[in-house]
Amino acid sequence: MDFALSEEQTLIFDMARGFGEEHIAPNARKWEAEGNIPKDLWPQLAELGFGGLYVSEEYGGSGLSRLDATLVFEALAMSCPAVGSFLSIHNMCGGMIDKFGSDETKAKWLPALCSMEKVFSYCLTEPGSGSDAAALRTRAEKTNEGYRMNGTKAFISGGNYSDVYVTMCRTGEDGPKGISTLIVENGTPGLGFGANEIKMGWKAQPTSEVQFDDCLVPLDNLMGEEGKGFAYAMAGLDGGRLNISAGALGGAQNALDLTVQYMSERKAFGKPINQFQALQFRLAEYETKLQAARTFLRQAAWKLDTGAHDATKFCAMAKLMVTDVAFEVANGCLQLHGGYGYLADYGIEKIVRDLRVHQILEGTNEIMRLIVSRQLIADAA
């Protein structure tokens, strides 16, 4: 088995890392304070092919694998997990449209998605249906004029910021088989937004409710088939969980890199603190955990790329393992900085705040355990 990245994959990682260091890292604290990512950043990322990572080249995408994409998000998160993760949500929408949309749907939406002329958000979660996504209540009634949609989505990254919202809504019976996917463009009559949420982390990206009040969506904005929306959403989440894991991994790696440097400079009792064996053991433990998490994440991505029957289980396991490990490492790195870790100037406290949500979104880590255990039980039956 060869675990080494190919030359092309190494170039992809280095390109993303270099872009982040030049254009994102110097601005990360400023964007966090402002609660906003300048929109002119996205076309610059799109020029590198990062706007439609796994969209087919026919529609302006890069046609990369899920493994390739994890390299991009890991590298960008080393500069700012909030920015890299927002891009991953945009790409999740692109992957769904490319995989499940009709030729007409792809031609209509994907070129602007890939160029990032339009930024896309994913709308599944509702105030009353988080982990139980199949219980969503946002309803779209089909009329001669279009789908008339009513309901509210919660915790939407890019609410009142993005240009297009890929929205799961109920067009039929209760349960997953009554859910469809509509693509709603900003400016559609009846589309509104709540106030920006005040969050612990990911402060740079605006997050709000997305509200539909007799929102009239054109009939041809249906993605794929009616009643298949829940399956589309869950398929999108497999890749989304890999990306969120990669973002957590990149943030934690940056925290560890900063900590190794800090410990070589910080002195106590007459010598650098990296000379104390107890602290050296902590570094060894963190490095081992991150390398193990990275290997497992890439195996899960390979499973998804090859269509393995247990890909969903492996994506869930990767999300569970990597995001837990990443937060543990980042939090430990803050401890190794002592009081300085609590100060914004050292960059660690932001990483800790940003990475905490990676254990919650794209399905909480409790739900990941449920997915894995159910698959184990089903396989044994």
Side-chain angles (χ1 to χ4, degrees), residues 352-366:
V352 173
R353 288 187 290 103
D354 280 345
L355 295 198
R356 183 60 183 87
V357 78
H358 288 242
Q359 296 169 291
I360 298 172
L361 45 70
E362 310 291 17
T364 65
N365 283 3
E366 289 73 22

Side-chain angles (χ1 to χ4, degrees), residues 72-90:
V72 172
F73 296 121
E74 179 184 350
L76 291 176
M78 291 179 177
S79 295
C80 179
V83 174
S85 298
F86 189 83
L87 182 68
S88 81
I89 296 167
H90 171 89

Side-chain angles (χ1 to χ4, degrees), residues 22-32:
E22 181 177 356
H23 298 284
I24 298 174
N27 300 300
R29 285 180 61 190
K30 175 175 178 283
W31 294 346
E32 177 174 74

Side-chain angles (χ1 to χ4, degrees), residues 305-319:
D305 282 330
T306 56
H309 75 281
D310 55 359
T312 292
K313 183 181 79 170
F314 269 77
C315 289
M317 288 193 294
K319 200 269 183 180

Side-chain angles (χ1 to χ4, degrees), residues 194-212:
N196 284 349
E197 304 288 359
I198 300 172
K199 308 187 297 291
M200 173 181 174
W202 275 23
K203 290 176 176 286
Q205 52 167 276
T207 302
S208 76
E209 287 188 343
V210 177
Q211 302 158 347
F212 306 95

